[in-house]
Amino acid sequence: MSETPRSTGAPAHQNVTFPSAGTTAHGYLALPPSGQGPGVIVIQEWWGLTDHIADVTDRLAAEGFVALAPDLYGGNVAHDSGEALRMLQDLPVSRGVELLSGAVDHLLTLDEVTSDSVGSVGFCMGGGFVLYQAAVDPRVRAAVPFYGVIQGELPDFSGLKAEVLGHYGERDAAIPADSLDTLRETIRRQSGITPDLRLYPADHAFFNDGRPEVHDPESSALAWGSTVAFLRTQLG
């Protein structure tokens, strides 16, 4: 995960606050043209709440979803991979899940949200948090990790209620392709849900169009189209 963020050192995107995990959390909220729709949480890469994550949130809103990207770093955005790693390490998985639960609480209280459950879409670190969150929160009914990095042991998926659609790159050194077999079988065995984990001829971060050195337009288009269709099917 040695990529650089699209907006190096830029302030995080924030336009909403809400109570979460005993504190006041911030995030970026985007509404669809109709003004209402199913709720989706967007979870940041290890850089923070950058232009790329805000853009994904806007794109989901354009597709008809009420999309919220919670800021897990409290307004900080990493300048380089070393700082990003430090920020990731300073965010325990349990704390990240707690903050995400608060974001789900907030999203489901909004009058604009028409669903009684949410989808979750995340990238890199955020893709891992998609799975951590879905494993413990039954309100997450559609989980979409993009090249999700699991920190340490796999979570216990026995409480998973979400269908899972995952997107991974064949050339991603951070996530060996054979590790997906273990992930798929663990989820199936513990939850009874068989995840749809897809491989693309691409590198890590292939969906990030702010990084032309790894961005794969064809793989990104396929992954995006299937993600939108999946969210619509699962959330109504």
Side-chain angles (χ1 to χ4, degrees):
M1 296 185 294
S2 60
E3 69 267 23
T4 54
R6 183 171 170 183
S7 292
T8 306
H13 290 264
Q14 296 177 347
N15 65 2
V16 65
T17 61
F18 52 92
S20 178
T23 188
T24 298
H26 298 76
Y28 180 73
L29 178 70
L31 300 179
S34 68
Q36 61 180 8
V40 176
I41 297 290
V42 183
I43 310 179
Q44 68 195 49
E45 295 174 300
W46 69 341
W47 304 111
L49 185 44
T50 61
D51 285 356
H52 172 56
I53 299 303
D55 179 62
V56 172
T57 308
D58 287 336
R59 290 177 64 184
L60 283 167
E63 295 287 351
F65 302 97
V66 177
L68 172 64
D71 187 349
L72 300 182
Y73 287 169
N76 296 310
V77 173
H79 293 74
D80 53 45
S81 58
E83 188 174 14
L85 178 60
R86 178 184 61 77
M87 289 180 177
L88 181 153
Q89 292 173 335
D90 286 345
L91 178 66
V93 168
S94 58
R95 178 61 175 174
V97 169
E98 190 179 14
L99 289 167
L100 290 169
S101 292
V104 174
D105 289 342
H106 177 67
L107 193 59
L108 290 176
T109 65
L110 298 179
D111 292 337
E112 294 86 353
V113 173
T114 58
S115 57
D116 57 7
S117 58
V118 302
S120 182
V121 180
F123 304 84
C124 185
M125 176 193 84
F129 270 116
V130 164
L131 295 176
Y132 285 120
Q133 177 70 10
V136 299
D137 193 335
R139 299 172 299 175
V140 179
R141 290 303 179 109
V144 187
F146 278 75
Y147 31 90
V149 174
I150 296 292
Q151 304 171 47
E153 298 295 321
L154 291 176
D156 178 358
F157 290 107
S158 59
L160 180 74
K161 302 300 181 184
E163 295 294 330
V164 180
L165 172 63
H167 305 295
Y168 299 85
E170 292 177 348
R171 300 190 296 271
D172 188 345
I175 308 171
D178 59 3
S179 71
L180 299 181
D181 295 333
T182 301
L183 176 61
R184 183 183 295 107
E185 176 57 23
T186 300
I187 293 175
R188 187 203 63 77
R189 176 171 47 81
Q190 293 181 348
S191 70
I193 294 169
T194 301
D196 183 357
L197 306 182
R198 303 184 182 185
L199 276 172
Y200 300 82
D203 295 291
H204 187 78
F206 70 83
F207 191 76
N208 191 336
D209 55 6
R211 298 193 57 236
E213 71 275 17
V214 292
H215 177 55
D216 187 310
E218 183 175 351
S219 296
S220 294
L222 289 171
W224 181 254
S226 61
T227 294
V228 171
F230 175 75
L231 292 171
R232 286 176 177 157
T233 297
Q234 300 302 323
L235 301 178

